[in-house]
Amino acid sequence: MIADRPTVHTHEARPTVREVLHSVLLRAVLPALVMFGLLLGVGKALMTVFHEVPSESASGRRWPQSVTACSTA
């Protein structure tokens, strides 16, 4: 019965520091940098597109006060 059990390897090779750093770089750092770049690019594109849109205070000056004021009645 003891011979039927799978052999347990107690001396398996552990990854080296270089392999661990390489794995962390590929699995965590690189995807984070890619996502940061994508978010930055989308933000820059949106800011470029909406740069010509006037701000709330500038557009508020164009409308008469009676249109923008809330009715309290």
Short mmCIF file of all heavy atoms in Angstrom, two decimals:
data_model
loop_
_atom_site.label_atom_id
_atom_site.label_comp_id
_atom_site.label_asym_id
_atom_site.label_seq_id
_atom_site.Cartn_x
_atom_site.Cartn_y
_atom_site.Cartn_z
N MET A 1 0.80 -1.20 0.00
CA MET A 1 0.00 0.00 0.00
C MET A 1 0.85 1.27 0.00
O MET A 1 0.49 2.24 -0.63
CB MET A 1 -0.90 0.03 1.24
CG MET A 1 -1.98 -0.95 1.24
SD MET A 1 -3.45 0.02 1.30
CE MET A 1 -4.66 -1.18 1.10
N ILE A 2 1.94 1.26 0.68
CA ILE A 2 2.80 2.43 0.74
C ILE A 2 3.39 2.73 -0.64
O ILE A 2 3.55 3.86 -1.03
CB ILE A 2 3.91 2.25 1.79
CG1 ILE A 2 3.29 2.20 3.17
CG2 ILE A 2 4.92 3.36 1.69
CD1 ILE A 2 4.25 1.95 4.28
N ALA A 3 3.64 1.72 -1.42
CA ALA A 3 4.23 1.90 -2.74
C ALA A 3 3.25 2.54 -3.73
O ALA A 3 3.65 3.08 -4.75
CB ALA A 3 4.71 0.56 -3.29
N ASP A 4 1.94 2.50 -3.44
CA ASP A 4 0.93 3.06 -4.34
C ASP A 4 0.84 4.59 -4.24
O ASP A 4 0.28 5.24 -5.11
CB ASP A 4 -0.44 2.46 -4.05
CG ASP A 4 -0.49 0.97 -4.39
OD1 ASP A 4 0.35 0.55 -5.22
OD2 ASP A 4 -1.35 0.27 -3.84
N ARG A 5 1.35 5.16 -3.17
CA ARG A 5 1.28 6.62 -3.01
C ARG A 5 2.24 7.32 -3.97
O ARG A 5 3.31 6.78 -4.25
CB ARG A 5 1.65 7.01 -1.59
CG ARG A 5 0.54 6.76 -0.61
CD ARG A 5 0.80 7.53 0.64
NE ARG A 5 1.03 6.58 1.72
CZ ARG A 5 1.63 6.83 2.84
NH1 ARG A 5 2.13 8.02 3.06
NH2 ARG A 5 1.77 5.92 3.76
N PRO A 6 1.84 8.51 -4.45
CA PRO A 6 2.77 9.25 -5.32
C PRO A 6 3.98 9.70 -4.53
O PRO A 6 3.92 9.96 -3.34
CB PRO A 6 1.96 10.45 -5.80
CG PRO A 6 0.84 10.58 -4.83
CD PRO A 6 0.59 9.21 -4.26
N THR A 7 5.08 9.78 -5.20
CA THR A 7 6.33 10.19 -4.58
C THR A 7 6.31 11.69 -4.33
O THR A 7 5.99 12.47 -5.21
CB THR A 7 7.52 9.84 -5.47
OG1 THR A 7 7.43 8.45 -5.80
CG2 THR A 7 8.82 10.13 -4.80
N VAL A 8 6.66 12.10 -3.15
CA VAL A 8 6.72 13.50 -2.79
C VAL A 8 8.15 13.98 -3.00
O VAL A 8 9.09 13.41 -2.46
CB VAL A 8 6.29 13.73 -1.33
CG1 VAL A 8 6.42 15.20 -0.96
CG2 VAL A 8 4.87 13.24 -1.12
N HIS A 9 8.30 15.01 -3.79
CA HIS A 9 9.63 15.54 -4.05
C HIS A 9 9.93 16.64 -3.03
O HIS A 9 9.33 17.71 -3.07
CB HIS A 9 9.72 16.12 -5.47
CG HIS A 9 9.51 15.09 -6.53
ND1 HIS A 9 10.45 14.14 -6.83
CD2 HIS A 9 8.46 14.85 -7.35
CE1 HIS A 9 10.00 13.37 -7.80
NE2 HIS A 9 8.78 13.78 -8.13
N THR A 10 10.82 16.36 -2.15
CA THR A 10 11.15 17.35 -1.12
C THR A 10 12.30 18.24 -1.56
O THR A 10 12.55 19.26 -0.93
CB THR A 10 11.54 16.64 0.19
OG1 THR A 10 12.61 15.74 -0.07
CG2 THR A 10 10.35 15.89 0.76
N HIS A 11 12.98 17.89 -2.63
CA HIS A 11 14.13 18.68 -3.08
C HIS A 11 13.87 19.32 -4.44
O HIS A 11 14.72 19.31 -5.31
CB HIS A 11 15.38 17.79 -3.16
CG HIS A 11 15.74 17.18 -1.86
ND1 HIS A 11 16.21 17.92 -0.81
CD2 HIS A 11 15.68 15.90 -1.41
CE1 HIS A 11 16.43 17.13 0.22
NE2 HIS A 11 16.12 15.89 -0.11
N GLU A 12 12.66 19.86 -4.62
CA GLU A 12 12.36 20.52 -5.90
C GLU A 12 13.18 21.79 -6.02
O GLU A 12 13.47 22.47 -5.03
CB GLU A 12 10.87 20.84 -5.99
CG GLU A 12 10.00 19.61 -6.13
CD GLU A 12 8.54 19.98 -6.30
OE1 GLU A 12 8.26 21.16 -6.58
OE2 GLU A 12 7.71 19.09 -6.17
N ALA A 13 13.51 22.12 -7.23
CA ALA A 13 14.29 23.33 -7.47
C ALA A 13 13.44 24.56 -7.24
O ALA A 13 12.32 24.66 -7.75
CB ALA A 13 14.82 23.31 -8.90
N ARG A 14 13.96 25.45 -6.46
CA ARG A 14 13.26 26.71 -6.20
C ARG A 14 13.69 27.72 -7.25
O ARG A 14 14.81 27.66 -7.75
CB ARG A 14 13.61 27.22 -4.81
CG ARG A 14 13.14 26.26 -3.72
CD ARG A 14 13.48 26.81 -2.39
NE ARG A 14 12.66 27.99 -2.17
CZ ARG A 14 12.18 28.34 -1.00
NH1 ARG A 14 12.46 27.63 0.05
NH2 ARG A 14 11.45 29.41 -0.87
N PRO A 15 12.80 28.68 -7.59
CA PRO A 15 13.20 29.68 -8.58
C PRO A 15 14.29 30.59 -8.03
O PRO A 15 14.34 30.89 -6.83
CB PRO A 15 11.91 30.47 -8.83
CG PRO A 15 11.05 30.20 -7.65
CD PRO A 15 11.44 28.86 -7.12
N THR A 16 15.14 31.02 -8.92
CA THR A 16 16.21 31.93 -8.52
C THR A 16 15.63 33.34 -8.37
O THR A 16 14.52 33.62 -8.80
CB THR A 16 17.33 31.95 -9.56
OG1 THR A 16 16.80 32.47 -10.78
CG2 THR A 16 17.90 30.56 -9.79
N VAL A 17 16.42 34.20 -7.77
CA VAL A 17 16.00 35.59 -7.59
C VAL A 17 15.75 36.23 -8.95
O VAL A 17 14.78 36.97 -9.13
CB VAL A 17 17.05 36.37 -6.78
CG1 VAL A 17 16.72 37.84 -6.73
CG2 VAL A 17 17.18 35.80 -5.38
N ARG A 18 16.60 35.93 -9.89
CA ARG A 18 16.44 36.51 -11.24
C ARG A 18 15.13 36.04 -11.88
O ARG A 18 14.42 36.83 -12.51
CB ARG A 18 17.63 36.09 -12.11
CG ARG A 18 17.59 36.71 -13.47
CD ARG A 18 18.87 36.43 -14.23
NE ARG A 18 18.86 37.17 -15.49
CZ ARG A 18 19.07 36.62 -16.65
NH1 ARG A 18 19.34 35.34 -16.74
NH2 ARG A 18 19.03 37.35 -17.74
N GLU A 19 14.78 34.77 -11.71
CA GLU A 19 13.53 34.26 -12.27
C GLU A 19 12.32 34.89 -11.60
O GLU A 19 11.33 35.22 -12.26
CB GLU A 19 13.47 32.74 -12.11
CG GLU A 19 14.45 31.99 -12.99
CD GLU A 19 14.51 30.51 -12.67
OE1 GLU A 19 14.13 30.10 -11.55
OE2 GLU A 19 14.95 29.76 -13.55
N VAL A 20 12.40 35.11 -10.30
CA VAL A 20 11.29 35.74 -9.58
C VAL A 20 11.13 37.19 -10.04
O VAL A 20 10.01 37.65 -10.30
CB VAL A 20 11.53 35.67 -8.05
CG1 VAL A 20 10.54 36.54 -7.31
CG2 VAL A 20 11.45 34.23 -7.57
N LEU A 21 12.23 37.91 -10.15
CA LEU A 21 12.15 39.30 -10.60
C LEU A 21 11.62 39.39 -12.03
O LEU A 21 10.81 40.27 -12.34
CB LEU A 21 13.53 39.97 -10.50
CG LEU A 21 14.04 40.23 -9.09
CD1 LEU A 21 15.45 40.79 -9.13
CD2 LEU A 21 13.11 41.15 -8.34
N HIS A 22 12.04 38.49 -12.88
CA HIS A 22 11.55 38.45 -14.26
C HIS A 22 10.04 38.19 -14.28
O HIS A 22 9.29 38.82 -15.03
CB HIS A 22 12.30 37.38 -15.05
CG HIS A 22 11.93 37.34 -16.48
ND1 HIS A 22 11.06 36.41 -16.98
CD2 HIS A 22 12.32 38.12 -17.52
CE1 HIS A 22 10.91 36.62 -18.29
NE2 HIS A 22 11.67 37.64 -18.63
N SER A 23 9.59 37.26 -13.46
CA SER A 23 8.17 36.93 -13.40
C SER A 23 7.35 38.12 -12.88
O SER A 23 6.29 38.43 -13.42
CB SER A 23 7.97 35.72 -12.49
OG SER A 23 6.61 35.39 -12.41
N VAL A 24 7.85 38.77 -11.84
CA VAL A 24 7.15 39.94 -11.29
C VAL A 24 7.10 41.06 -12.32
O VAL A 24 6.08 41.73 -12.48
CB VAL A 24 7.82 40.42 -9.98
CG1 VAL A 24 7.32 41.77 -9.55
CG2 VAL A 24 7.59 39.39 -8.88
N LEU A 25 8.18 41.25 -13.03
CA LEU A 25 8.23 42.28 -14.06
C LEU A 25 7.18 42.01 -15.14
O LEU A 25 6.45 42.91 -15.54
CB LEU A 25 9.62 42.34 -14.68
CG LEU A 25 9.82 43.37 -15.78
CD1 LEU A 25 9.83 44.77 -15.18
CD2 LEU A 25 11.11 43.12 -16.53
N LEU A 26 7.11 40.78 -15.60
CA LEU A 26 6.17 40.45 -16.68
C LEU A 26 4.72 40.40 -16.21
O LEU A 26 3.81 40.75 -16.96
CB LEU A 26 6.52 39.10 -17.30
CG LEU A 26 7.75 39.09 -18.18
CD1 LEU A 26 8.00 37.67 -18.71
CD2 LEU A 26 7.60 40.04 -19.34
N ARG A 27 4.48 39.99 -14.98
CA ARG A 27 3.10 39.79 -14.51
C ARG A 27 2.51 41.00 -13.79
O ARG A 27 1.29 41.11 -13.72
CB ARG A 27 3.04 38.59 -13.57
CG ARG A 27 3.38 37.30 -14.26
CD ARG A 27 3.48 36.18 -13.24
NE ARG A 27 4.04 34.98 -13.83
CZ ARG A 27 3.33 33.90 -14.08
NH1 ARG A 27 2.05 33.87 -13.80
NH2 ARG A 27 3.91 32.85 -14.61
N ALA A 28 3.33 41.91 -13.28
CA ALA A 28 2.80 43.03 -12.51
C ALA A 28 3.24 44.39 -13.05
O ALA A 28 2.40 45.24 -13.34
CB ALA A 28 3.21 42.89 -11.05
N VAL A 29 4.52 44.59 -13.20
CA VAL A 29 5.04 45.91 -13.54
C VAL A 29 4.69 46.28 -14.98
O VAL A 29 4.18 47.37 -15.24
CB VAL A 29 6.57 45.98 -13.30
CG1 VAL A 29 7.13 47.30 -13.75
CG2 VAL A 29 6.88 45.73 -11.84
N LEU A 30 4.93 45.38 -15.91
CA LEU A 30 4.67 45.68 -17.31
C LEU A 30 3.19 45.94 -17.58
O LEU A 30 2.86 46.94 -18.22
CB LEU A 30 5.20 44.54 -18.19
CG LEU A 30 5.25 44.81 -19.68
CD1 LEU A 30 6.17 45.99 -19.99
CD2 LEU A 30 5.73 43.58 -20.42
N PRO A 31 2.26 45.12 -17.10
CA PRO A 31 0.84 45.45 -17.30
C PRO A 31 0.43 46.77 -16.64
O PRO A 31 -0.38 47.51 -17.19
CB PRO A 31 0.10 44.28 -16.67
CG PRO A 31 1.06 43.15 -16.70
CD PRO A 31 2.41 43.77 -16.52
N ALA A 32 1.01 47.07 -15.48
CA ALA A 32 0.68 48.34 -14.82
C ALA A 32 1.16 49.52 -15.65
O ALA A 32 0.45 50.53 -15.79
CB ALA A 32 1.31 48.38 -13.43
N LEU A 33 2.35 49.43 -16.23
CA LEU A 33 2.85 50.51 -17.08
C LEU A 33 2.02 50.65 -18.36
O LEU A 33 1.76 51.78 -18.80
CB LEU A 33 4.32 50.25 -17.44
CG LEU A 33 5.32 50.43 -16.29
CD1 LEU A 33 6.72 50.03 -16.74
CD2 LEU A 33 5.31 51.86 -15.78
N VAL A 34 1.59 49.54 -18.92
CA VAL A 34 0.75 49.59 -20.11
C VAL A 34 -0.58 50.26 -19.78
O VAL A 34 -1.05 51.14 -20.53
CB VAL A 34 0.54 48.18 -20.71
CG1 VAL A 34 -0.55 48.18 -21.77
CG2 VAL A 34 1.84 47.65 -21.28
N MET A 35 -1.20 49.89 -18.68
CA MET A 35 -2.48 50.50 -18.29
C MET A 35 -2.31 51.99 -17.99
O MET A 35 -3.15 52.80 -18.35
CB MET A 35 -3.06 49.78 -17.06
CG MET A 35 -3.60 48.41 -17.38
SD MET A 35 -4.89 48.41 -18.64
CE MET A 35 -6.16 49.33 -17.82
N PHE A 36 -1.23 52.35 -17.33
CA PHE A 36 -0.95 53.76 -17.05
C PHE A 36 -0.80 54.53 -18.36
O PHE A 36 -1.37 55.62 -18.51
CB PHE A 36 0.31 53.91 -16.20
CG PHE A 36 0.68 55.33 -15.92
CD1 PHE A 36 -0.03 56.07 -15.00
CD2 PHE A 36 1.74 55.92 -16.59
CE1 PHE A 36 0.30 57.39 -14.75
CE2 PHE A 36 2.08 57.23 -16.34
CZ PHE A 36 1.36 57.98 -15.42
N GLY A 37 -0.08 53.98 -19.31
CA GLY A 37 0.09 54.63 -20.60
C GLY A 37 -1.23 54.78 -21.35
O GLY A 37 -1.49 55.82 -21.95
N LEU A 38 -2.07 53.74 -21.31
CA LEU A 38 -3.37 53.83 -21.96
C LEU A 38 -4.25 54.89 -21.31
O LEU A 38 -4.89 55.68 -22.01
CB LEU A 38 -4.07 52.47 -21.91
CG LEU A 38 -3.55 51.41 -22.86
CD1 LEU A 38 -4.22 50.07 -22.59
CD2 LEU A 38 -3.78 51.83 -24.30
N LEU A 39 -4.28 54.91 -19.99
CA LEU A 39 -5.08 55.93 -19.29
C LEU A 39 -4.56 57.33 -19.58
O LEU A 39 -5.33 58.27 -19.80
CB LEU A 39 -5.08 55.67 -17.78
CG LEU A 39 -5.98 54.55 -17.31
CD1 LEU A 39 -5.75 54.28 -15.83
CD2 LEU A 39 -7.43 54.90 -17.55
N LEU A 40 -3.26 57.48 -19.59
CA LEU A 40 -2.67 58.79 -19.88
C LEU A 40 -2.99 59.20 -21.31
O LEU A 40 -3.35 60.36 -21.57
CB LEU A 40 -1.15 58.72 -19.67
CG LEU A 40 -0.42 60.05 -19.73
CD1 LEU A 40 -0.80 60.93 -18.56
CD2 LEU A 40 1.08 59.80 -19.73
N GLY A 41 -2.89 58.28 -22.25
CA GLY A 41 -3.20 58.59 -23.64
C GLY A 41 -4.65 58.97 -23.85
O GLY A 41 -4.96 59.92 -24.56
N VAL A 42 -5.56 58.21 -23.22
CA VAL A 42 -6.99 58.53 -23.34
C VAL A 42 -7.27 59.88 -22.70
O VAL A 42 -8.03 60.69 -23.25
CB VAL A 42 -7.85 57.42 -22.70
CG1 VAL A 42 -9.29 57.85 -22.55
CG2 VAL A 42 -7.76 56.15 -23.54
N GLY A 43 -6.66 60.16 -21.56
CA GLY A 43 -6.85 61.45 -20.90
C GLY A 43 -6.35 62.60 -21.76
O GLY A 43 -7.02 63.64 -21.89
N LYS A 44 -5.19 62.43 -22.35
CA LYS A 44 -4.65 63.48 -23.23
C LYS A 44 -5.54 63.68 -24.44
O LYS A 44 -5.79 64.81 -24.87
CB LYS A 44 -3.23 63.12 -23.69
CG LYS A 44 -2.20 63.22 -22.62
CD LYS A 44 -1.85 64.67 -22.40
CE LYS A 44 -0.62 64.74 -21.51
NZ LYS A 44 -0.23 66.11 -21.27
N ALA A 45 -6.05 62.58 -25.02
CA ALA A 45 -6.93 62.70 -26.18
C ALA A 45 -8.22 63.42 -25.81
O ALA A 45 -8.69 64.29 -26.55
CB ALA A 45 -7.24 61.30 -26.73
N LEU A 46 -8.79 63.10 -24.66
CA LEU A 46 -10.01 63.77 -24.21
C LEU A 46 -9.76 65.25 -23.94
O LEU A 46 -10.59 66.10 -24.27
CB LEU A 46 -10.58 63.09 -22.98
CG LEU A 46 -11.25 61.75 -23.21
CD1 LEU A 46 -11.65 61.13 -21.88
CD2 LEU A 46 -12.45 61.89 -24.12
N MET A 47 -8.62 65.56 -23.33
CA MET A 47 -8.32 66.97 -23.06
C MET A 47 -8.11 67.74 -24.35
O MET A 47 -8.48 68.91 -24.45
CB MET A 47 -7.07 67.07 -22.18
CG MET A 47 -7.29 66.59 -20.77
SD MET A 47 -8.59 67.46 -19.91
CE MET A 47 -7.85 69.07 -19.74
N THR A 48 -7.55 67.10 -25.36
CA THR A 48 -7.35 67.76 -26.65
C THR A 48 -8.70 68.02 -27.32
O THR A 48 -8.94 69.10 -27.85
CB THR A 48 -6.47 66.89 -27.57
OG1 THR A 48 -5.22 66.66 -26.91
CG2 THR A 48 -6.22 67.55 -28.90
N VAL A 49 -9.59 67.03 -27.28
CA VAL A 49 -10.90 67.16 -27.90
C VAL A 49 -11.73 68.22 -27.19
O VAL A 49 -12.37 69.06 -27.83
CB VAL A 49 -11.63 65.81 -27.92
CG1 VAL A 49 -13.08 65.98 -28.33
CG2 VAL A 49 -10.93 64.84 -28.84
N PHE A 50 -11.74 68.19 -25.87
CA PHE A 50 -12.58 69.10 -25.11
C PHE A 50 -11.90 70.41 -24.74
O PHE A 50 -12.46 71.20 -23.99
CB PHE A 50 -13.09 68.40 -23.84
CG PHE A 50 -14.08 67.31 -24.13
CD1 PHE A 50 -13.79 66.00 -23.83
CD2 PHE A 50 -15.29 67.60 -24.72
CE1 PHE A 50 -14.69 64.99 -24.11
CE2 PHE A 50 -16.20 66.60 -25.00
CZ PHE A 50 -15.90 65.30 -24.69
N HIS A 51 -10.72 70.64 -25.27
CA HIS A 51 -10.03 71.90 -24.98
C HIS A 51 -10.79 73.10 -25.53
O HIS A 51 -10.81 74.17 -24.94
CB HIS A 51 -8.61 71.87 -25.56
CG HIS A 51 -7.83 73.11 -25.29
ND1 HIS A 51 -7.41 73.45 -24.01
CD2 HIS A 51 -7.42 74.11 -26.10
CE1 HIS A 51 -6.76 74.60 -24.08
NE2 HIS A 51 -6.74 75.02 -25.33
N GLU A 52 -11.47 72.90 -26.65
CA GLU A 52 -12.21 73.99 -27.28
C GLU A 52 -13.56 74.25 -26.61
O GLU A 52 -14.18 75.27 -26.86
CB GLU A 52 -12.42 73.68 -28.76
CG GLU A 52 -11.13 73.52 -29.53
CD GLU A 52 -10.29 74.79 -29.52
OE1 GLU A 52 -10.87 75.88 -29.61
OE2 GLU A 52 -9.06 74.67 -29.42
N VAL A 53 -14.04 73.35 -25.78
CA VAL A 53 -15.33 73.53 -25.10
C VAL A 53 -15.12 74.53 -23.98
O VAL A 53 -14.21 74.39 -23.16
CB VAL A 53 -15.84 72.19 -24.54
CG1 VAL A 53 -17.13 72.37 -23.77
CG2 VAL A 53 -16.02 71.19 -25.67
N PRO A 54 -15.96 75.58 -23.92
CA PRO A 54 -15.78 76.58 -22.87
C PRO A 54 -16.10 76.01 -21.48
O PRO A 54 -16.89 75.08 -21.35
CB PRO A 54 -16.77 77.68 -23.24
CG PRO A 54 -17.78 77.01 -24.09
CD PRO A 54 -17.08 75.88 -24.79
N SER A 55 -15.48 76.56 -20.49
CA SER A 55 -15.72 76.09 -19.13
C SER A 55 -17.10 76.53 -18.66
O SER A 55 -17.78 77.32 -19.31
CB SER A 55 -14.66 76.65 -18.19
OG SER A 55 -14.77 78.06 -18.12
N GLU A 56 -17.51 76.02 -17.52
CA GLU A 56 -18.84 76.33 -17.00
C GLU A 56 -18.99 77.82 -16.71
O GLU A 56 -20.02 78.42 -17.00
CB GLU A 56 -19.10 75.52 -15.73
CG GLU A 56 -20.49 75.72 -15.16
CD GLU A 56 -20.71 74.90 -13.92
OE1 GLU A 56 -19.91 74.00 -13.65
OE2 GLU A 56 -21.69 75.19 -13.21
N SER A 57 -17.96 78.43 -16.16
CA SER A 57 -18.06 79.86 -15.84
C SER A 57 -18.11 80.70 -17.11
O SER A 57 -18.83 81.70 -17.18
CB SER A 57 -16.88 80.30 -14.98
OG SER A 57 -15.67 80.08 -15.66
N ALA A 58 -17.39 80.30 -18.16
CA ALA A 58 -17.41 81.05 -19.42
C ALA A 58 -18.75 80.88 -20.13
O ALA A 58 -19.28 81.84 -20.68
CB ALA A 58 -16.28 80.59 -20.32
N SER A 59 -19.31 79.70 -20.12
CA SER A 59 -20.60 79.50 -20.77
C SER A 59 -21.71 80.12 -19.95
O SER A 59 -22.74 80.53 -20.50
CB SER A 59 -20.87 78.01 -21.00
OG SER A 59 -20.95 77.33 -19.76
N GLY A 60 -21.54 80.21 -18.64
CA GLY A 60 -22.55 80.84 -17.79
C GLY A 60 -22.68 82.33 -18.04
O GLY A 60 -23.74 82.92 -17.86
N ARG A 61 -21.62 82.97 -18.47
CA ARG A 61 -21.66 84.40 -18.75
C ARG A 61 -22.47 84.72 -20.00
O ARG A 61 -22.97 85.80 -20.16
CB ARG A 61 -20.24 84.95 -18.90
CG ARG A 61 -19.55 85.11 -17.57
CD ARG A 61 -18.21 85.83 -17.75
NE ARG A 61 -17.20 84.99 -17.11
CZ ARG A 61 -16.13 84.52 -17.70
NH1 ARG A 61 -15.87 84.80 -18.94
NH2 ARG A 61 -15.31 83.75 -17.04
N ARG A 62 -22.58 83.75 -20.89
CA ARG A 62 -23.31 83.98 -22.14
C ARG A 62 -24.81 83.94 -21.95
O ARG A 62 -25.55 84.51 -22.71
CB ARG A 62 -22.91 82.93 -23.17
CG ARG A 62 -21.54 83.14 -23.70
CD ARG A 62 -21.34 82.27 -24.90
NE ARG A 62 -20.03 81.65 -24.77
CZ ARG A 62 -19.69 80.49 -25.25
NH1 ARG A 62 -20.57 79.77 -25.89
NH2 ARG A 62 -18.48 80.01 -25.08
N TRP A 63 -25.28 83.22 -20.97
CA TRP A 63 -26.72 83.07 -20.75
C TRP A 63 -27.23 84.19 -19.85
O TRP A 63 -26.56 84.60 -18.92
CB TRP A 63 -27.02 81.73 -20.10
CG TRP A 63 -26.75 80.59 -21.02
CD1 TRP A 63 -25.58 79.93 -21.13
CD2 TRP A 63 -27.65 80.02 -21.94
NE1 TRP A 63 -25.69 78.95 -22.09
CE2 TRP A 63 -26.95 78.98 -22.61
CE3 TRP A 63 -28.98 80.26 -22.28
CZ2 TRP A 63 -27.54 78.20 -23.56
CZ3 TRP A 63 -29.56 79.47 -23.25
CH2 TRP A 63 -28.85 78.46 -23.89
N PRO A 64 -28.45 84.66 -20.07
CA PRO A 64 -29.02 85.66 -19.16
C PRO A 64 -29.20 85.07 -17.77
O PRO A 64 -29.39 83.86 -17.62
CB PRO A 64 -30.37 85.99 -19.79
CG PRO A 64 -30.35 85.43 -21.16
CD PRO A 64 -29.30 84.37 -21.19
N GLN A 65 -29.13 85.90 -16.79
CA GLN A 65 -29.25 85.46 -15.39
C GLN A 65 -30.60 84.81 -15.13
O GLN A 65 -30.70 83.89 -14.35
CB GLN A 65 -29.02 86.65 -14.44
CG GLN A 65 -28.83 86.27 -12.99
CD GLN A 65 -27.57 85.48 -12.76
OE1 GLN A 65 -26.64 85.51 -13.57
NE2 GLN A 65 -27.49 84.78 -11.67
N SER A 66 -31.64 85.26 -15.78
CA SER A 66 -32.97 84.71 -15.55
C SER A 66 -33.08 83.27 -16.02
O SER A 66 -33.86 82.48 -15.48
CB SER A 66 -34.03 85.57 -16.25
OG SER A 66 -33.79 85.55 -17.64
N VAL A 67 -32.30 82.88 -17.02
CA VAL A 67 -32.35 81.51 -17.52
C VAL A 67 -31.62 80.56 -16.59
O VAL A 67 -32.06 79.44 -16.35
CB VAL A 67 -31.73 81.44 -18.94
CG1 VAL A 67 -31.65 80.01 -19.43
CG2 VAL A 67 -32.54 82.29 -19.90
N THR A 68 -30.51 81.01 -16.01
CA THR A 68 -29.72 80.13 -15.17
C THR A 68 -30.16 80.11 -13.71
O THR A 68 -29.82 79.22 -12.96
CB THR A 68 -28.23 80.53 -15.22
OG1 THR A 68 -28.11 81.88 -14.79
CG2 THR A 68 -27.70 80.37 -16.64
N ALA A 69 -30.92 81.12 -13.26
CA ALA A 69 -31.36 81.18 -11.87
C ALA A 69 -32.46 80.17 -11.61
O ALA A 69 -33.32 79.94 -12.45
CB ALA A 69 -31.84 82.59 -11.53
N CYS A 70 -32.43 79.57 -10.43
CA CYS A 70 -33.45 78.60 -10.06
C CYS A 70 -34.69 79.34 -9.56
O CYS A 70 -34.61 80.38 -8.92
CB CYS A 70 -32.95 77.67 -8.94
SG CYS A 70 -31.60 76.63 -9.48
N SER A 71 -35.83 78.79 -9.86
CA SER A 71 -37.09 79.39 -9.41
C SER A 71 -37.34 78.97 -7.97
O SER A 71 -37.28 77.79 -7.64
CB SER A 71 -38.24 78.92 -10.31
OG SER A 71 -39.45 79.36 -9.81
N THR A 72 -37.65 79.92 -7.11
CA THR A 72 -37.93 79.61 -5.69
C THR A 72 -39.40 79.66 -5.38
O THR A 72 -39.80 79.47 -4.26
CB THR A 72 -37.18 80.61 -4.78
OG1 THR A 72 -37.58 81.93 -5.12
CG2 THR A 72 -35.68 80.44 -4.94
N ALA A 73 -40.23 79.91 -6.36
CA ALA A 73 -41.69 80.02 -6.13
C ALA A 73 -42.34 78.67 -6.04
O ALA A 73 -41.95 77.67 -6.43
CB ALA A 73 -42.33 80.83 -7.26
#
